[in-house]
Amino acid sequence: MSNQELPVLGQDATVEGCCPGLLSAPLDEDQAVVLAKVFKALGDPVRLRLLSMIASRAGGEVCVCDLTPAFDLSQPTISHHLKLLREAGLIASERRGTWVYYRLLPETTDRLAGLLTRPAGDSLPEPAGLPA
Amino acid sequence: MSNQELPVLGQDATVEGCCPGLLSAPLDEDQAVVLAKVFKALGDPVRLRLLSMIASRAGGEVCVCDLTPAFDLSQPTISHHLKLLREAGLIASERRGTWVYYRLLPETTDRLAGLLTRPAGDSLPEPAGLPA
């Protein structure tokens, strides 16, 4: 496994500080390219399942050896999907001994959630009651 | 333009009520397929720009005739991108006279934002300095 397989966070532009908000103003072309890369990484069922397995793991870290058995796919295929998630800034990886361990980068999912949130004043009332 | 070009919300499964949360529990295969379709629709710079133009328009509705000039693309290409956004449940369309008008379906973006939001109690401290 090459050095390229080590954590490469933000090797290109990332969504950090990317855009004012997807719903509040038209994106410019550069912003759209950065953001599309992240959404494209999420646009695959296997990658979504991998991300949810990593994100929901108590302890915050998952060995690739625990991810692969959940899929009817080869190890190289799983590794390729994980690489796309990593390049999108959604997860980070660390090799320790034989295995690579993955963890969520919540700043990226937080940022996406924020970008998809309607601007203040444009929201419908929250279904959950707010404390008075 | 056929009837298929009229609003077709939820012609397949939609993200409405899809999943407990992308980050709180592993998605099952069916949930992942539904959700991947929506993220895939967002995984293209032209579609993201179209969505942001539609979502941010005061009045909440945009004529396709106002969208096309912003792109160096043919009308059929723009229409194809709009169709993918519509099939993903992100926008709705209505034909009136010569033109088709598009509007955001905020329940879908709300749902995506919710799915990308960390479960309560799982948030990290904000990177910005906390008061001592």
Side-chain angles (χ1 to χ4, degrees), chain A residues 41-118:
Chain A
L42 293 172
D44 177 274
V46 171
R47 291 197 290 278
L48 279 179
R49 288 179 63 205
L50 285 166
L51 185 70
S52 71
M53 290 171 74
I54 294 166
S56 63
R57 175 64 64 101
E61 205 176 61
V62 189
C63 175
V64 67
C65 58
D66 289 329
L67 294 170
T68 309
F71 297 88
D72 202 16
L73 296 168
S74 70
Q75 170 72 52
T77 299
I78 295 294
S79 290
H80 175 71
H81 284 302
L82 289 166
K83 182 178 173 218
L84 294 178
L85 289 172
R86 214 183 50 224
E87 287 178 354
L90 287 158
I91 58 172
S93 64
E94 186 185 351
R95 170 176 286 279
R96 291 202 301 275
T98 306
W99 301 110
V100 180
Y101 293 79
Y102 292 90
R103 63 184 170 84
L104 180 72
L105 290 175
E107 52 270 35
T108 301
T109 47
D110 286 356
R111 183 81 186 117
L112 293 181
L115 287 169
L116 288 162
T117 299
R118 280 181 275 175

Side-chain angles (χ1 to χ4, degrees), chain A residues 22-27 29 32-33 35-36 39-40 42-45 48-49 52 55-56 106 109-110 112-113 116-118, chain B residues 22-27 29 32-33 35-36 39-40 42-45 48-49 52 55-56 106 109-110 112-113 116-118 124:
Chain A
L22 184 53
L23 309 181
S24 57
L27 292 177
E29 287 188 48
V33 167
L35 204 49
F39 283 124
K40 194 170 180 181
L42 293 172
D44 177 274
L48 279 179
R49 288 179 63 205
S52 71
S56 63
T109 47
D110 286 356
L112 293 181
L116 288 162
T117 299
R118 280 181 275 175
Chain B
L22 183 53
L23 309 181
S24 56
L27 293 177
E29 287 188 50
V33 167
L35 204 49
F39 283 124
K40 195 171 180 180
L42 293 172
D44 177 275
L48 279 180
R49 288 178 64 205
S52 71
S56 63
T109 47
D110 286 356
L112 292 180
L116 288 162
T117 298
R118 280 181 274 174
L124 296 172

Side-chain angles (χ1 to χ4, degrees), chain B residues 94-101:
Chain B
E94 187 183 352
R95 170 175 287 278
R96 290 203 300 274
T98 307
W99 300 110
V100 181
Y101 294 80

